Amino acid sequence: MTSPLLHLPGAVGGDGIDAPVAAHYGSFNGEQRVLETGQGFVDLSHRDVIRVSGVDRLTWLHSLTTQFFEGLAPGVWTQSLILSPNGHVEHAFAGVDDGEAFVAHTEPGAGQALVDFLDRMRFMMRVEVSLETPATAVAWRPPTSERAATYDFVPRDRLESYAEAAGPAAGMWAFEALRIARGEPRLGLDTDHRSIPNELGWIGPAVHLEKGCYRGQETVARVHTLGRPPRRLTLLHLDGSENRLPVRGSDVLVGEKSVGFVGTSARHHELGPIALALVKRNVPIDAVLTVENMPAAQEIIVDPEVGLHVRPQR
């Protein structure tokens, strides 16, 4: 859904999956710096929102997903995945329970498929699942010394008044640059149909290793126990001498051999051009890679031996 905040002064629309919201409001470098001071907000109102209500909702989500939902306290944010029987990531979402319902956001356009899957799995459980995107928007506020980064669910008809109170506004280019620098992947943009959680740094944040059975658990547990996931997410520092970013899906090469693909990319105000890439586990950490004829150095995000996220320190 196209955001009403595209009418704010200086707003320039995004592209691709992020087209319905602003890419920037005049200075994506300046907007990054503002967010890093803990000020402002980012309009994420194009993301889909789902709602799961009913007395059995937490027990039910616990049985279906990678996360530990039983006993989840109201107000506690959590990330979760739904996997295929072979352990491939099919859905990723993050949300919070308010004591009556669990509300979550997911990638733009992915909400209906998530709702349809959950509906098929209800059986005799006392739950209701709905797509709330037409009525509810998402916004993000950066961390401060007093609080962690926050996602807000905002009634869509109050988004403009929210923006007036939460400003200054920052666009997706700034948000994406900071996200990529943190090493946080987006499903469908930094992943493919074969991706498993162990490759992406989602063990821990989105996958609880001490819970009971769920679909795809065998793959996750085996790779975690034995180590050596087949691929690993890495942060690429791209040659900045060319004024361009790689096309998503482009091959990552060692010499002339393809060893993976590039996902999202951005221009960071301090690091320069950066990108996330999914590469084979055995690619040496110090190997110089090339993407579209641009040299690229690696920074570890996912440990190649155990598949755990090693968060870049900024």
Side-chain angles (χ1 to χ4, degrees):
M1 300 181 68
T2 301
S3 173
L5 303 187
L6 284 173
H7 298 300
L8 291 179
V12 175
D15 52 20
I17 196 173
D18 297 326
V21 296
H24 62 86
Y25 296 89
S27 173
F28 63 89
N29 279 332
E31 291 162 25
Q32 289 180 53
R33 295 187 180 97
V34 169
L35 292 175
E36 288 193 329
T37 68
Q39 303 178 68
F41 78 100
V42 178
D43 176 14
L44 300 177
S45 61
H46 61 319
R47 292 185 65 81
D48 277 343
V49 177
I50 71 161
R51 184 175 189 268
V52 182
S53 60
V55 295
D56 294 330
R57 66 190 181 280
L58 296 180
T59 301
W60 181 63
L61 288 170
H62 183 91
S63 69
L64 291 175
T65 74
T66 60
Q67 190 54 270
F68 201 104
F69 276 96
E70 288 185 348
L72 180 66
V76 177
W77 274 84
T78 189
Q79 300 178 55
S80 191
L81 309 173
I82 292 174
L83 308 181
S84 75
N86 293 324
H88 302 138
V89 184
E90 293 187 339
H91 299 282
F93 55 94
V96 64
D97 196 83
D98 63 5
E100 296 183 356
F102 179 76
V103 180
H105 63 89
T106 187
E107 287 292 335
Q112 188 61 59
L114 177 55
V115 167
D116 291 345
F117 171 82
L118 293 173
D119 259 337
R120 291 196 301 271
M121 304 301 291
R122 283 193 302 165
F123 305 116
M124 300 299 292
M125 303 297 281
R126 294 168 295 176
V127 294
E128 296 291 335
V129 185
S130 59
L131 183 67
E132 297 294 313
T133 312
T136 307
V138 183
W140 181 83
R141 291 184 294 161
T144 67
S145 57
E146 289 80 29
R147 67 158 197 266
T150 304
Y151 286 94
D152 292 331
F153 292 116
V154 183
R156 196 166 288 275
D157 59 3
R158 300 180 190 171
L159 192 56
E160 291 177 270
S161 58
Y162 172 92
E164 291 177 5
M172 283 299 296
W173 285 4
F175 177 81
E176 288 289 88
L178 300 181
R179 174 190 65 81
I180 292 168
R182 293 192 301 269
E184 298 174 0
R186 287 177 67 177
L187 183 65
L189 299 181
D190 298 304
T191 68
D192 61 13
H193 68 284
R194 297 185 294 116
S195 298
I196 63 174
N198 315 66
E199 299 173 326
L200 302 166
W202 277 335
I203 303 298
V207 178
H208 197 289
L209 292 173
E210 304 300 325
K211 60 168 289 184
C213 294
Y214 56 87
R215 193 168 74 160
Q217 182 191 30
E218 183 179 353
T219 297
V220 171
R222 182 176 66 251
V223 174
H224 180 72
T225 300
L226 299 178
R228 299 173 175 257
R231 300 178 296 179
R232 58 180 175 83
L233 191 71
T234 191
L235 178 66
L236 299 183
H237 293 266
L238 300 160
D239 179 8
S241 62
E242 297 191 46
N243 187 28
R244 62 189 177 96
L245 294 170
V247 174
R248 185 169 60 85
S250 297
D251 286 338
V252 176
L253 305 176
V254 173
E256 297 183 356
K257 181 181 179 181
S258 176
V259 295
F261 68 91
V262 136
T264 50
S265 58
R267 293 181 177 87
H268 191 276
H269 70 103
E270 291 181 337
L271 303 177
I274 55 175
L276 294 178
L278 197 57
V279 301
K280 293 180 179 179
R281 181 196 61 80
N282 59 3
V283 173
I285 298 298
D286 58 355
V288 176
L289 310 177
T290 57
V291 181
E292 296 181 2
N293 296 316
M294 289 183 284
Q298 301 177 69
E299 181 176 352
I300 296 177
I301 292 176
V302 173
D303 187 300
E305 297 302 317
V306 295
L308 295 178
H309 193 289
V310 182
R311 186 174 299 276
Q313 299 297 315
R314 304 291 170 218

